[in-house]
Amino acid sequence: MSQNNKHTPESIDAQLAELQKGYISKLSEKLQAIMVLWNTYTANKNDADELHKLYRAVHSVAGTSAMLNITEVHQICAEIELILLQMLNPEADEISDHTKLHQLFSQLQILRSNHDFKAMPINLNEHLS
């Protein structure tokens, strides 16, 4: 990499801030898609394909939200993800907490409806010192 192409932590932070902003602008749509998958799954109980689709969508939002410091969305999706993972385990007894799952999806829906996607700024300099 040449000197002219060298990325500073500040320039990377600016790029990550733009990624964060862009992702937040699409987050309501992504959460709506998750809610549709959740509603489809609950209407078609025991549909393993629907459960896999739901898990993948939640997993994707949980991971990207964590990476981009969208903390509350990440926390809710990570909790949902753990319960769904347990449900995907063929050896698991029916021990999934469906009440908790409904509560978490309700929280996610409220965040989506309010567009309440609080994100912490990304600052690589904090991690490099």
Side-chain angles (χ1 to χ4, degrees):
M1 182 183 308
S2 73
Q3 286 289 90
N4 294 339
N5 291 335
K6 192 169 187 173
H7 294 288
T8 64
E10 292 81 13
S11 70
I12 295 171
D13 285 347
Q15 290 173 5
L16 289 171
E18 283 300 311
L19 280 173
Q20 185 186 62
K21 183 179 174 184
Y23 188 76
I24 288 171
S25 73
K26 297 174 186 167
L27 192 51
S28 183
E29 184 179 310
K30 291 178 183 299
L31 295 180
Q32 179 60 31
I34 286 173
M35 297 309 297
V36 168
L37 289 168
W38 169 243
N39 290 332
T40 301
Y41 172 73
T42 56
N44 303 313
K45 293 269 190 219
N46 300 322
D47 187 330
D49 288 338
E50 294 300 327
L51 186 59
H52 280 278
K53 288 178 192 175
L54 178 60
Y55 174 79
R56 284 191 303 271
V58 170
H59 175 75
S60 176
V61 170
T64 306
S65 295
M67 193 170 47
L68 295 176
N69 284 346
I70 308 167
T71 309
E72 191 170 11
V73 171
H74 161 70
Q75 290 170 340
I76 293 170
C77 285
E79 281 189 68
I80 292 171
E81 184 180 16
L82 288 174
I83 295 170
L84 295 178
L85 190 58
Q86 183 182 35
M87 292 168 65
L88 285 167
N89 182 354
E91 283 126 33
D93 294 323
E94 195 62 33
I95 55 176
S96 301
D97 188 347
H98 290 284
T99 302
K100 179 67 174 174
L101 202 51
H102 283 285
Q103 290 171 347
L104 290 166
F105 276 107
S106 292
Q107 290 173 13
L108 207 55
Q109 179 62 27
I110 290 167
L111 285 178
R112 190 196 72 75
S113 296
N114 295 337
H115 298 278
D116 190 15
F117 310 128
K118 296 179 188 92
M120 299 295 296
I122 300 170
N123 186 347
L124 292 180
N125 286 324
E126 289 177 2
H127 301 290
L128 297 175
S129 38

